[in-house]
Amino acid sequence: MKTELPSRWRSSQPALRAVQVAFDVSEAVLQAVRAAAFEANLSNSDQVRVVLGLPLLRQAKRPRLTVSLSEEDYRLLGARYDLDPADHLAIKERVGAALVAFAEKQRRQRTGKRRDKS
């Protein structure tokens, strides 16, 4: 007997059948794909799909960065931000603010370099 999926899950059904495939490649191939993805504002996975002539499955609705954090990382970040290491949400908010500040600093540096060249 086959159980029918709830309607809210049906749109995810094709993704559930997908299989992630990893490729062991040289550093040169990795750098070429990353650079092309960056220039095209794509994820590395989407860039691989472009190289292979496959359709892009979707555009990211909200751009995001991911990082894996261990309990030791939370301890270090908690100490850096004077927060309880168990308060993962507060640490996440501070890390997000640090990334925004980093991006703003990078933007100012790029803008400054352009002005110096003119």
Side-chain angles (χ1 to χ4, degrees):
M1 181 171 143
K2 203 171 185 183
T3 305
E4 191 169 319
L5 286 175
S7 61
R8 68 180 184 271
W9 292 358
R10 286 188 197 129
S11 65
S12 300
Q13 201 169 9
L16 295 174
R17 292 188 186 123
V19 176
Q20 188 171 22
V21 180
F23 300 94
D24 293 321
V25 296
S26 70
E27 188 69 26
V29 171
L30 185 62
Q31 290 301 321
V33 169
R34 285 179 175 165
F38 175 77
E39 291 298 320
N41 199 25
L42 295 172
S43 68
N44 292 340
S45 296
D46 282 346
Q47 183 61 44
V48 170
R49 294 186 69 81
V50 168
V51 169
L52 298 175
L54 298 171
L56 295 182
L57 300 177
R58 61 181 156 56
Q59 289 290 23
K61 291 181 181 157
R62 59 178 182 165
R64 38 196 247 188
L65 294 170
T66 60
V67 64
S68 297
L69 298 175
S70 67
E71 288 305 315
E72 175 65 11
D73 295 329
Y74 278 110
R75 189 187 66 70
L76 292 168
L77 291 167
R80 173 178 297 154
Y81 298 126
D82 196 27
L83 295 168
D84 179 350
D87 193 348
H88 292 192
L89 182 57
I91 290 171
K92 180 181 176 181
E93 289 171 354
R94 293 292 294 273
V95 168
L99 291 170
V100 169
F102 169 80
E104 180 60 25
K105 181 179 176 185
Q106 292 293 106
R107 186 192 63 75
R108 283 193 310 268
Q109 287 176 346
R110 283 192 313 270
T111 304
K113 286 180 184 177
R114 282 189 209 129
R115 270 190 251 137
D116 291 345
K117 289 181 180 180
S118 35

